[in-house]
């Protein structure tokens, strides 16, 4: 019985408004979230009546499969979308084709296109990648992207977290957390059944699904203690054939398409009529689905294990007999049925399909299942499966599993005597160890890979192994050795005619020469980029860009870095190379830190806060330095502790150097010269004997500042000049480079109080309170009487540092106004309000609009509301 949708008018109004804006070309993303049973699907079902007349609504669902269907929600769209998108998602292997087809589908008429993806917490990786593609572009589409998910099921490492983190940086995002029903709403729903509304509310806590199921069960004088009881109560009275049919369908964690229904149910859909009438199922000509996932789970969970196994065996047999069945579904039901033979037969293909669609987490999960029965495979096949599993784990940043699997693959290759395969696997093992941040085993595997392949007669594999060695030497600052190995790899790559390896080797040699003090290395690094771009080797082009930019940042050539960053990020974005894209975001964070654009630095550093060690270490360092220079929020020390732990394992100066100087800066600002020396001295000892070491000058500067003698650095680096007391020349260079914080700190070394006051003004403008506090103390010691008090007094009544306009927005948010209503009240655009609301959430540390009121009250900001 449909009792309508209660207490969702505000959400429907906001969805309708967003759809109208999308029709005008201002697309956006809407996040609808809450606990299981809160009414996300009901809200989606009520949406069509509120959409503009020309709106086109597309709905796809993610399934609770043990291993997800690659592109599952987009496959659901087949039959309601154009032929190109249907073919692209069905074939699945060409990700750019899928993305382009999705883009064209949403850009084409009629407008707006409302794409709803339900239960995104169950999305496969390929679908999440497609959604990442869309959210970065939806603002420029006449489309509304609605994502529903259970926020109470998201652990810290849940795959959806990355997408939600990306969405926090998208301008046009509407968040619709769904609340439980009030007692008044429960009373309305309970009235027809003459139930005790207070008792229903007490048992269900206002969860709409729980309420609906308890009411539908018709409990009088006593409410079923669980929702399972409520669902099973609705099954009572159904004939045995209908119940058996429901049990059969309940083990299929997705909508069941009609051809499969006809195989599973002898009487076809006719046997489901009574269940449909009771509101348990939604029956359509092409598919059947439970009205709510919790109904399906309640039925499935009520089954004895033996019955559940047998029902899964029936589904498995039906899927295997149907040509073209999804291998992921076959493997899911094989696992549920305990059919190890079927897992062994179909699992490798399911993993291949998932990997081809870009669903690497699903591919890893499939191979994990397969590898539980290793004895089923011949040694050579097992080695292939282990290598595939290692590569998939490496791709999804599960470094520990990748290392174990690749070690096992190497062990098998040794026993098989295939030296080419052994050498290739050793090279992979080296790469995986480096990815995990473990320098010593990476070096060991690299040495053996070269030794094994020296006489294998394969120039290509040998070139790759030698270039891998050159890369490790370059990263560990053994520049001369890197050049020697790299030049050999270049010759081998040219002989083999392999542009990918040639680009890789040129990259290593160019970077080693440049970091070793030879500016000619830059030309070789740019040649590496040109070779990769000409050959269409996107991964190698991204790596060349990344190393170019990193070296330009290290040598303070910020304008040049600005020239390379946009095309690099565009390439990584278009190719969906998310690892490199995140790394480039971290490099952009380093650039914005140098420009003292600290909000932007933090925003881009967040892209690196994942398991990819090479990006996470500098991301942690940037976030810590922003906090150190601003004087908060707390937590910089913890960030640096983790960054240092990562850096020490890599034994790379490019990791240890920045962390050491960040620790030194923190110690200096808290008045701890001994802490400066402890943080910097060991790393400086490593850097001082290296040619052209980019961190030597800064490390030496901090030691000199702390009163610790170091050998003179006669370079023209601004930090070297400051260490020698040449503050004026250093300040000029910092200013020319576009580094306002460093310029002010250098200016503050002047003995002239007027220069120090100028520095103080600049630091106050930047919000660099700790450094400004030191300068004020110095000026007081010099006897200066009129020292500006700075921004602290002005913000005493506004501890969050909000602007006047942001304070107005806070007060209107506390009043419960929507962004559109705030825009109308303040006579500004909705987009402007979107930006103000995002800034308010960030400054108050409030994850949701609801939390704004709590934080505003805590900080005393909620008084004097707008009228």
């Amino acid at each position: 019985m449909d009792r309508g949708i209660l207490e969702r008018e505000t959400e429907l109004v906001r969805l309708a408004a967003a759809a109208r804006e999308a029709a005008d070309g201002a697309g956006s993303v809407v996040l609808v979230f809450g606990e299981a049973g809160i009414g996300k699907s009901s809200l989606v079902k009520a949406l069509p009546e509120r959409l503009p007349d020309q709106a086109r609504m597309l709905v796809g669902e993610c399934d609770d499969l043990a291993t997800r269907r690659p592109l599952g929600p987009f496959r659901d769209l087949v039959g309601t979308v154009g032929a190109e998108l249907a073919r692209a998602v069905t074939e699945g292997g060409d990700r750019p084709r899928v993305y382009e087809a999705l883009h064209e589908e949403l850009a084409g008429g009629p407008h707006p296109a409302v794409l709803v993806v339900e239960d995104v917490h169950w999305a496969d990786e390929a679908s999440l990648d497609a959604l990442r593609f869309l959210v970065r572009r939806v603002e420029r589409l006449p489309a509304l992207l609605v994502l529903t998910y259970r926020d109470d099921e998201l652990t810290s490492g849940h795959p959806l977290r990355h997408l939600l983190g990306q969405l926090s940086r998208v301008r046009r995002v509407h968040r619709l957390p769904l609340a439980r029903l009030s007692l008044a709403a429960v009373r309305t729903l309970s009235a027809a059944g003459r139930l005790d509304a207070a008792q229903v509310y007490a048992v269900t806590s206002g969860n709409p699904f729980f309420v609906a199921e308890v009411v539908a069960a018709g409990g009088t004088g006593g409410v079923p203690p669980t929702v399972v009881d409520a669902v099973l109560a609705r099954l009572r009275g159904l004939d045995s054939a209908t119940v058996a049919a429901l049990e059969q369908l309940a083990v299929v964690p997705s909508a069941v398409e009609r051809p499969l229904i006809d195989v599973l149910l002898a009487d076809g859909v006719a046997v489901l009529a009574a269940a449909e009438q009771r509101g348990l199922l939604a029956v359509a000509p092409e598919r059947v689905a439970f009205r709510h996932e919790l109904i399906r789970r309640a039925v499935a969970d009520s089954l004895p294990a033996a019955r559940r196994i047998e029902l899964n065996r029936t589904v498995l047999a039906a899927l295997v007999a149907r040509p073209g069945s999804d291998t992921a579904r076959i493997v899911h039901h094989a696992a549920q049925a305990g059919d190890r033979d079927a897992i062994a037969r179909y699992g490798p293909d399911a993993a291949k399909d998932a990997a081809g669609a870009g669903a690497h987490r699903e591919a890893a999960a499939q191979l994990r299942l397969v590898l539980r029965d290793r004895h089923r495979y011949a040694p050579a096949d097992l080695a292939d499966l282990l290598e595939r599993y290692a590569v998939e784990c490496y791709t999804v940043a599960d470094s520990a599993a990748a290392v174990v699997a690749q070690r096992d693959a190497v062990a098998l290759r040794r026993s098989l005597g295939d030296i080419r395969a052994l050498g290739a696997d050793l090279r992979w093992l080296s790469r995986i160890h480096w990815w995990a941040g473990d320098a010593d085993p990476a070096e060991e595997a690299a040495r053996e890979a070269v030794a094994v392949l020296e006489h294998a007669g394969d120039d290509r594999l040998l070139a790759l192994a030698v270039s891998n060695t050159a890369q490790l030497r370059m990263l560990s600052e053994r520049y001369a050795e890197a050049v020697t190995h790299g030049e050999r790899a270049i010759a081998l790559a040219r002989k083999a005619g392999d542009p990918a390896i040639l680009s890789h080797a040129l990259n290593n040699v160019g970077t080693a020469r440049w970091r070793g003090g030879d500016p000619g290395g830059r030309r070789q690094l740019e040649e590496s980029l040109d070779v990769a771009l000409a050959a269409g080797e996107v991964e190698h082009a991204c790596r060349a860009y990344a190393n170019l930019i990193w070296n330009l940042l290290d040598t303070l050539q910020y304008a040049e870095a600005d020239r390379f960053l946009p095309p690099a990020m565009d390439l990584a974005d278009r190719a969906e190379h998310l690892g490199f894209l995140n790394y480039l975001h971290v490099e952009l964070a380093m650039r914005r830190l140098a420009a003292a654009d600290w909000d932007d630095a933090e925003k881009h550093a967040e892209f690196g806060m994942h398991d990819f060690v090479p990006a996470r270490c500098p991301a942690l360092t940037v976030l810590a330095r922003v906090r150190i220079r601003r004087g908060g929020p707390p937590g910089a020390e913890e960030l640096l502790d983790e960054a240092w732990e990562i850096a020490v394992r890599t034994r790379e100066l490019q990791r240890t150097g920045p962390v050491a100087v960040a620790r030194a800066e923190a110690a200096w600002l808290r008045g701890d010269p001994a802490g400066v020396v402890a943080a910097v001295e060991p790393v400086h000892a490593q850097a001082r004997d290296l040619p052209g070491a980019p961190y030597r000058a800064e490390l030496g500067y901090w030691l000199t500042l702390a009163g610790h003698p170091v050998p003179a650095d006669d370079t023209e680096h601004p930090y070297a000049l400051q260490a020698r007391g040449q503050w004026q020349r250093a300040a000029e260079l910092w200013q020319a480079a576009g580094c306002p914080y460093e310029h002010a700190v250098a200016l503050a070394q002047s003995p002239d109080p007027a220069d120090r006051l100028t520095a103080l003004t600049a630091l106050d403008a930047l919000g660099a309170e700790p450094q400004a506090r030191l300068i004020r103390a110095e000026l007081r010691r010099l006897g200066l009487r009129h020292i500006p008090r700075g921004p602290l007094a002005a913000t005493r009544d506004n501890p969050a540092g909000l602007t006047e306009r942001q304070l107005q927005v806070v007060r209107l948010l506390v009043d419960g106004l929507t962004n559109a209503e705030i825009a109308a009240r303040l006579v500004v655009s909705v987009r402007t309000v979107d930006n103000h609301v995002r800034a308010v959430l960030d400054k108050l540390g409030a994850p949701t609009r609801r939390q704004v009121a709590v934080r505003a009250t805590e900080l005393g900001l909620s008084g004097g509301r707008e009228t």
Side-chain angles (χ1 to χ4, degrees):
M1 182 166 49
D2 185 3
R3 300 180 183 275
I5 182 167
L6 298 177
E7 299 187 335
R8 295 292 184 256
E9 183 63 24
T10 299
E11 289 81 1
L12 286 168
V13 167
R14 291 186 63 189
L15 281 163
R20 289 193 297 272
E21 292 172 0
D24 294 333
S28 60
V29 181
V30 179
L31 301 178
V32 179
F33 54 93
E35 63 186 350
I38 202 65
K40 299 179 291 295
S41 295
S42 297
L43 185 72
V44 168
K45 290 173 183 174
L47 180 57
E49 295 180 2
R50 304 300 185 95
L51 295 178
D53 291 340
Q54 296 300 313
R56 182 167 54 110
M57 188 161 163
L58 307 170
V59 181
E61 299 178 356
C62 303
D63 303 320
D64 185 23
L65 290 164
T67 50
R68 320 293 190 209
R69 290 186 301 150
L71 298 172
F74 301 105
R75 291 174 187 246
D76 286 348
L77 304 181
V78 173
T80 61
V81 295
E84 176 55 27
L85 178 56
R87 284 193 297 269
V89 298
T90 302
E91 296 170 6
D94 186 345
R95 286 195 296 168
R97 179 187 176 196
V98 172
Y99 303 156
E100 187 63 30
L102 275 170
H103 188 280
E104 291 302 316
E105 185 71 33
L106 297 183
H111 299 152
V114 179
L115 173 57
V116 180
V117 180
E118 292 217 64
D119 296 323
V120 187
H121 51 279
W122 289 328
D124 64 283
E125 187 179 3
S127 295
L128 288 174
D129 283 347
L131 291 173
R132 291 187 192 104
F133 173 88
L134 288 178
V135 300
R136 286 196 293 273
R137 294 160 177 83
V138 72
E139 293 177 9
R140 302 185 295 276
L141 288 170
L144 185 64
L145 177 60
V146 181
L147 308 179
T148 76
Y149 63 94
R150 297 180 186 174
D151 60 335
D152 58 347
E153 293 192 8
L154 302 187
T155 61
S156 60
H158 194 286
L160 181 56
R161 287 286 186 193
H162 189 190
L163 176 62
L164 295 178
Q166 179 180 325
L167 278 164
S168 70
R169 295 175 286 276
V170 173
R171 288 189 303 171
R172 296 188 56 76
V173 178
H174 309 279
R175 292 173 172 82
L176 301 184
L178 299 186
R180 293 177 178 178
L181 298 178
S182 67
L183 177 58
V186 173
R187 186 175 291 114
T188 299
L189 292 171
S190 303
R194 298 183 180 181
L195 301 180
D196 183 338
Q199 187 179 15
V200 173
Y201 185 78
V203 171
T204 64
S205 299
N207 179 289
F209 173 71
F210 293 178
V211 172
E213 293 308 309
V214 168
V215 171
T220 55
V223 178
T226 66
V227 174
V228 172
D229 291 337
V231 172
L232 296 183
R234 294 176 69 178
L235 267 62
R236 285 195 287 271
L238 293 174
D239 62 66
S240 58
T242 300
V243 172
L246 284 171
E247 291 175 347
Q248 178 65 80
L249 298 183
V251 300
V252 183
S254 59
V256 187
E257 60 273 20
R258 183 61 179 271
L260 186 57
I261 289 279
D262 293 340
V263 174
L264 294 176
L265 307 181
D267 296 326
V269 294
V271 75
L272 303 174
E276 182 185 13
Q277 289 172 345
R278 293 198 181 188
L280 294 168
L281 296 173
V283 179
E286 65 277 355
R287 65 181 62 195
V288 173
F290 282 88
R291 292 292 298 269
H292 196 290
E293 169 63 15
L294 292 182
I295 298 177
R296 185 194 70 78
R297 285 189 173 187
V299 175
D301 291 349
S302 71
L303 297 172
R307 170 76 170 150
R308 194 160 51 244
I309 290 170
E310 188 57 34
L311 292 172
N312 273 289
R313 286 186 181 278
T314 302
V315 179
L316 174 62
L319 290 173
V320 168
R322 286 178 59 202
S325 288
D326 191 323
T327 52
R329 295 179 72 181
I330 290 175
V331 174
H332 168 82
H333 289 287
Q336 295 298 309
D339 190 331
R340 309 305 301 175
D341 290 336
I343 293 172
R345 179 178 177 184
Y346 294 100
D349 287 341
K352 183 178 178 180
D353 291 345
H360 297 288
R361 286 188 182 87
E362 286 66 42
Q366 298 283 12
L367 289 167
R368 193 178 302 118
L369 267 178
V370 165
L371 289 169
R372 289 178 182 175
D373 289 331
R374 298 186 178 192
H375 65 278
R376 294 176 177 274
Y377 302 96
D381 294 334
L382 178 57
D384 288 338
L385 288 170
L386 286 165
E387 181 186 323
R388 286 172 56 190
Y389 179 54
V391 172
E392 295 302 332
C393 291
Y394 157 88
T395 304
V396 301
D398 186 354
S399 299
V403 168
V404 171
Q406 192 63 19
R407 281 177 172 168
D408 289 349
V410 166
L412 276 171
R413 298 295 189 196
R414 291 188 199 283
S415 68
L416 293 168
D418 184 343
I419 61 172
R420 291 176 68 258
L422 173 60
D425 273 357
L426 284 165
R427 201 278 310 175
W428 257 117
L429 181 60
S430 173
R431 176 65 175 172
I432 290 169
H433 273 306
W434 178 83
W435 192 275
D438 296 320
D440 290 338
E443 289 276 6
E444 182 181 348
R447 283 193 297 270
E448 188 180 358
V450 173
V452 166
L453 291 168
E454 283 284 8
H455 306 292
D458 190 318
D459 287 337
R460 181 187 171 280
L461 285 178
L462 179 59
L464 186 55
V466 173
S467 190
N468 177 68
T469 299
Q471 181 183 16
L472 293 174
R473 298 292 193 274
M474 175 269 290
L475 291 167
S476 58
E477 296 87 37
R478 289 177 283 179
Y479 300 133
E481 295 177 42
V483 170
T484 299
H485 288 286
E487 288 179 341
R488 184 187 178 199
I490 289 170
L492 287 166
R494 292 191 193 279
K495 181 180 178 182
D498 192 310
I501 301 174
L502 176 60
S503 172
H504 190 272
L506 286 166
N507 189 326
N508 299 326
V509 173
T511 303
R513 289 177 59 200
W514 194 357
R515 296 184 74 80
D518 179 358
R522 175 176 173 176
R523 288 192 298 274
Q524 239 169 337
L525 192 45
E526 290 182 339
E527 183 186 355
S528 165
L529 175 61
D530 292 340
V531 168
L533 290 174
E537 293 286 348
V538 175
E539 180 178 356
H540 292 285
C542 287
R543 179 170 172 260
Y545 270 128
N547 281 351
L548 266 169
I549 293 163
W550 189 280
N551 282 282
L552 290 168
L553 295 174
D554 274 350
T555 53
L556 312 185
Q557 298 180 70
Y558 296 115
E560 281 289 276
D562 290 340
R563 184 165 67 86
F564 284 102
L565 273 163
M569 298 182 78
D570 181 63
L571 176 65
D573 190 11
R574 283 188 289 106
E576 294 292 311
H577 270 284
L578 296 181
F580 274 114
L581 181 60
N582 290 341
Y583 195 81
L584 289 163
H585 270 290
V586 174
E587 291 187 323
L588 181 53
M590 295 162 61
R591 171 67 183 105
R592 302 320 302 159
L593 176 69
D597 185 351
W598 293 335
D599 287 338
D600 217 30
E602 286 185 315
K603 180 180 74 173
H604 290 288
E606 288 291 343
F607 280 87
M609 294 298 287
H610 301 287
D611 294 330
F612 178 36
V613 170
R616 185 172 179 84
C617 184
L620 289 163
T621 307
V622 169
L623 291 171
R625 292 197 88 165
V626 170
R627 295 186 182 192
I628 289 164
R629 292 182 176 185
R630 281 179 158 171
E637 185 175 343
E638 290 78 4
L639 294 173
L640 288 177
D641 286 346
E642 183 183 347
W644 182 250
E645 182 181 347
I646 295 171
V648 168
R649 283 172 53 207
T650 68
R651 294 192 292 103
E652 296 172 6
L653 186 61
Q654 65 172 340
R655 309 290 177 224
T656 57
V659 182
V661 297
R663 284 180 148 183
E665 185 174 9
W668 180 257
L669 291 175
R670 67 172 180 263
D672 180 12
V676 173
V677 175
V680 170
E681 187 178 25
V683 184
H684 181 260
Q686 177 188 359
R688 69 187 178 192
D689 297 327
L690 293 173
Y695 307 109
R696 182 177 58 218
E698 188 172 5
L699 293 162
Y701 160 75
W702 284 110
L703 288 173
T704 302
L705 197 63
H708 186 82
V710 296
D713 187 331
D714 59 0
T715 68
E716 284 294 297
H717 194 288
Y719 277 124
L721 293 169
Q722 285 177 253
R724 300 200 299 267
Q726 299 175 28
W727 61 269
Q728 188 170 20
R729 173 63 177 153
E732 292 170 355
L733 291 175
W734 285 125
Q735 188 172 41
C739 302
Y741 180 86
E742 287 78 2
H743 170 255
V745 172
L747 198 61
Q749 288 185 247
S750 169
D752 186 344
D755 288 330
R756 296 191 182 194
L757 285 170
T758 300
L760 182 60
T761 300
L763 292 167
D764 282 342
L766 294 173
E769 192 275 331
Q771 185 67 51
R773 186 175 62 246
L774 292 183
I775 295 175
R776 284 189 170 85
E778 284 292 325
L779 290 170
R780 283 193 291 270
R781 280 194 289 271
L782 290 173
L784 207 67
R785 298 181 61 184
H786 301 293
I787 304 171
R789 296 183 67 187
L792 292 180
T795 60
R796 188 169 294 140
D797 296 328
N798 176 14
L802 299 170
T803 66
E804 184 60 32
R805 180 64 91 187
Q806 288 166 356
L807 281 169
Q808 292 175 321
V809 170
V810 165
R811 290 161 186 156
L812 294 172
L813 285 173
V814 171
D815 282 342
L817 273 66
T818 66
N819 286 15
E821 292 166 337
I822 294 172
R825 183 74 62 88
L826 299 180
V827 196
V828 297
S829 70
V830 174
R831 181 165 293 183
T832 297
V833 174
D834 290 344
N835 292 333
H836 284 315
V837 169
R838 187 174 297 106
V840 164
L841 292 172
D842 289 342
K843 288 186 177 182
L844 293 181
T848 66
R849 297 164 70 98
R850 292 182 181 181
Q851 288 297 315
V852 168
V854 176
R855 290 289 293 134
T857 300
E858 291 173 351
L859 296 172
L861 301 175
S862 55
R865 294 179 179 176
E866 293 291 310
T867 59

